[in-house]
Amino acid sequence: MKTKHYLESTFYALVATIVTLALISMSFFLAEPKVGLAVDSGPFTVKQVIGDEISFLVEAASTTLTGPINGITGGTGNGTTTAVVRSNSATGYTMSIAFANNTTDNAMLGDATASESIHDMPATSSEPVFTFDTSSSSAVFGYTVSADNSSDLDDSFKDNGSACNTGSGYTYDRCWMEPQVSGFQIINRTTSTDSATTTINFRVYVPNSPSPSLVADTYTATATLTAVNQ
């Protein structure tokens, strides 16, 4: 009888062990997919804002026009200066030129005499004229602009072959502008650049026997270029 009871107890214990192991195995296999299978997170982004900057790689240098010009019989003097700009603005930059204000708003002033007998070349409706205006009886001073990429020029300095501020072309030695105290836009670039060169050409024209008479002196105009990202 005791042997039978012992065998029954052993049997029931074995059955319980088997059932327990089976339940543990089932739990493992049910849990395993949640642990072992790969999962993706939701998408996320990493951003860094880069600011726009602008600088002059080469600033415009002072220039002396060719000459000298005779003060009575007249003549023509020409000179240039260049500026190189770097800008990382995706929409480019603008550049303007402004001349220092003198007593009678003429840009050129005699260094020793403070004479303003070289007048600003008159422009039409405050826009460049196609050819340098020599119709005045006075000595006159003006400028024009070119660029290594002519599309960078402000529309005022583009032409259609006979007039400025119209068309999309560029003609060398055309579209002359009078100096202005307020900044006048000369460049309107629409893309970034590592190096964009702007050349400004200056001219003084003195007619024969100018009126007012031209006092012998060195005449100086002072200008400032301002470049701003768009």
Side-chain angles (χ1 to χ4, degrees), residues 119-145:
H119 294 179
D120 295 344
M121 185 207 74
T124 302
S125 301
S126 298
E127 293 291 345
V129 293
F130 192 67
T131 57
F132 191 94
D133 188 351
T134 60
S135 62
S136 174
S137 60
S138 67
V140 288
F141 167 65
Y143 71 94
T144 187
V145 182

Side-chain angles (χ1 to χ4, degrees), residues 49-218:
V49 176
I50 303 298
D52 63 288
E53 292 183 298
I54 189 168
S55 65
F56 281 104
L57 295 179
V58 178
E59 293 190 8
S62 298
T63 182
T64 299
L65 308 189
T66 57
I69 301 173
N70 296 319
I72 296 177
T73 56
T76 302
N78 292 285
T80 64
T81 190
T82 59
V84 182
V85 170
R86 180 181 184 182
S87 168
N88 72 332
S89 170
T91 52
Y93 68 95
T94 61
M95 183 190 294
S96 61
I97 184 171
F99 290 81
N101 188 17
N102 296 321
T103 306
T104 58
D105 291 337
N106 290 315
M108 288 206 128
L109 185 69
D111 290 354
T113 63
S115 171
E116 293 187 65
S117 50
I118 298 179
H119 294 179
D120 295 344
M121 185 207 74
T124 302
S125 301
S126 298
E127 293 291 345
V129 293
F130 192 67
T131 57
F132 191 94
D133 188 351
T134 60
S135 62
S136 174
S137 60
S138 67
V140 288
F141 167 65
Y143 71 94
T144 187
V145 182
S146 61
D148 55 355
N149 185 346
S150 60
S151 64
D152 291 351
L153 290 172
D154 185 81
D155 288 344
S156 297
F157 294 93
K158 296 176 182 178
D159 66 85
N160 63 1
S162 60
C164 303
N165 197 34
T166 184
S168 59
Y170 167 75
T171 306
Y172 177 73
D173 200 39
R174 293 292 183 262
C175 296
W176 291 87
M177 182 61 185
E178 67 175 309
Q180 291 186 342
V181 174
S182 58
F184 188 81
Q185 187 165 293
I186 60 176
I187 294 293
N188 183 15
R189 185 182 176 94
T190 57
T191 60
S192 63
T193 177
D194 288 331
S195 176
T197 301
T198 300
T199 300
I200 306 172
N201 304 302
F202 302 100
R203 178 173 294 172
V204 168
Y205 169 76
V206 180
N208 184 35
S209 298
S211 178
S213 61
L214 202 57
V215 179
D217 199 348
T218 298

Side-chain angles (χ1 to χ4, degrees), residues 44-50:
F44 66 94
T45 62
V46 179
K47 295 184 180 183
Q48 171 62 56
V49 176
I50 303 298

